[in-house]
Amino acid sequence: MSEPRCTGVWIFGDYRNYFQNRVTLQLIAKGRDLARKRKTELTALVLGDHIHQYAMEYVAHGADVVMVVDHADLRNYQVETYTKVVARLVTRYRPEIFLAGATSFGREFFPRLAKRLRTGLSADCVALEIDPETGLMIQTTPSFGGELLAEVVTPHHRPQMATVHPGIFEERPHNASAVGRVVYPEMDIEPDDRVQIIRTKAEQKGKVKLEDAEVVVVGGRGLGSKEQFQRLFDLAELLGGEVGATRPVILAGWAEEERLLGQTGKSVKPKLLITVGTSGALQYTTGIQGSETIIAINRDPNAPVFRMADLGLVGDARTILGQWVEKLRKRL
Ligand SMILES: Cc1cc2nc3c(=O)[nH]c(=O)nc-3n(C[C@H](O)[C@H](O)[C@H](O)COP(=O)(O)OP(=O)(O)OC[C@H]3O[C@@H](n4cnc5c(N)ncnc54)[C@H](O)[C@@H]3O)c2cc1C
């Protein structure tokens, strides 16, 4: 007898820090689009304890179905227990596509789940599409040190799994009159995590509001020192903007981690982004591709960053920055 066909697009509902962490809602919006193209339904799966309010939120944001596993032993995100429960649900209901946010939990949980389900997984995707000819999900992800965008497909195994970076897709507006089904599958929960959570403490909230800024000034390794990087704050202040950074800057300790942009950091969509002393590696540009206008400053005229810039200034960043700040101060 042949295996039953896999249908349905599933999203893993990560509702922790709900008002700041919007990736699940962004995935629901994208998942709907994929589900429509596959002529199937979009299901958001949520595990936890007393979580009905999130089910209603996911319906309001576009889920056709919300599958809720509500149990006291699922109160905390415990990776081993969650993997076991979700693997059983996937084996039972056989979705064709399963997506999660590339959050710290998604990055830990989804590889385990994919291994258990013996299927493939593309991590940190920046685009997802359905191939109109084959019906397969094309999973676009930066690869080979960020030099290339690889298009990955999972032709033979199900579900087709991917994690997606927060901020890539737009969430749908909240619609309180949206209609969806909430289902409670029967499950025996046997918690057997080797890690025991003794207590949890909320991380201090960041003060840096990069995602909402209309102007973002980003510094890269080319600035050469922490002192030079600090000068970006003068420019950002004059333009009413925020300061972001590339990974080498964070690693050098010139800026805090919450300023990191890119594949492993934040994604921004400002009206104006000024990128100074950055080469334009794909893992970085992934986080700035939604910017309306990009001005790049680099002393190397062949730097890849100029390929995506609307305006490029070739020269020493320190000189250009100094002159720019001086001129703006005189005008304001
Ligand atoms: C799995 C993975 C994930 C990653 N995630 C991220 C991420 O989220 N974000 C991120 O940023 N990176 C990430 N990276 C690193 C990324 O690949 C690049 O190494 C990084 O973005 C480069 O940073 P940069 O442009 O500041 O430095 P560089 O690539 O070293 O570029 C410095 C640039 O400054 C120019 N320059 C030098 N001196 C001057 C001067 N005086 N004036 C003007 N220009 C000058 C140079 O010409 C050069 O183009 C990741 C890498 C991997 C492998």
Side-chain angles (χ1 to χ4, degrees), residues 102-152:
T103 59
S104 52
F105 185 74
R107 286 195 174 119
E108 184 185 8
F109 163 54
F110 248 42
R112 266 176 190 269
L113 185 65
K115 167 78 172 59
R116 188 167 287 220
L117 296 168
R118 295 175 180 274
T119 186
L121 168 69
S122 299
D124 282 317
C125 287
V126 293
L128 298 171
E129 265 319 322
I130 299 293
D131 182 333
E133 279 175 23
T134 61
L136 292 171
M137 178 171 68
I138 302 173
Q139 307 147 42
T140 306
T141 179
S143 304
F144 299 107
E147 296 298 316
L148 293 174
L149 275 178
E151 291 190 342
V152 181

Side-chain angles (χ1 to χ4, degrees), residues 145-146 219-223 245-249 260-265 276-284 297-300 303-304 315-318:
R221 181 167 20 213
L223 283 165
T246 60
R247 180 152 285 283
V249 167
L260 177 65
L261 298 185
Q263 187 187 339
T264 51
V276 189
T278 63
S279 57
L282 200 55
Q283 286 114 343
Y284 160 58
I297 304 175
N298 197 305
R299 68 177 178 194
D300 174 5
D316 185 84
R318 288 163 281 196

Side-chain angles (χ1 to χ4, degrees), residues 54-105:
Y54 297 110
M56 299 326 293
E57 280 290 304
Y58 291 159
V59 168
H61 279 277
D64 300 311
V65 181
V66 183
M67 189 178 288
V68 181
V69 187
D70 201 307
H71 195 281
D73 287 326
L74 298 174
R75 178 176 308 138
N76 293 314
Y77 275 84
Q78 295 271 81
V79 75
E80 290 179 73
T81 305
Y82 269 53
T83 307
K84 211 166 153 185
V85 171
V86 175
R88 279 166 54 201
L89 288 169
V90 170
T91 310
R92 193 190 295 174
Y93 294 103
R94 305 178 57 83
E96 62 176 306
I97 291 172
F98 197 8
L99 309 174
T103 59
S104 52
F105 185 74

Side-chain angles (χ1 to χ4, degrees), residues 234-261:
D234 296 337
L235 183 59
E237 196 186 348
L238 286 161
L239 297 173
E242 261 297 352
V243 174
T246 60
R247 180 152 285 283
V249 167
I250 307 296
L251 294 177
W254 302 348
E256 325 81 288
E257 175 100 36
E258 60 181 327
R259 297 197 184 276
L260 177 65
L261 298 185

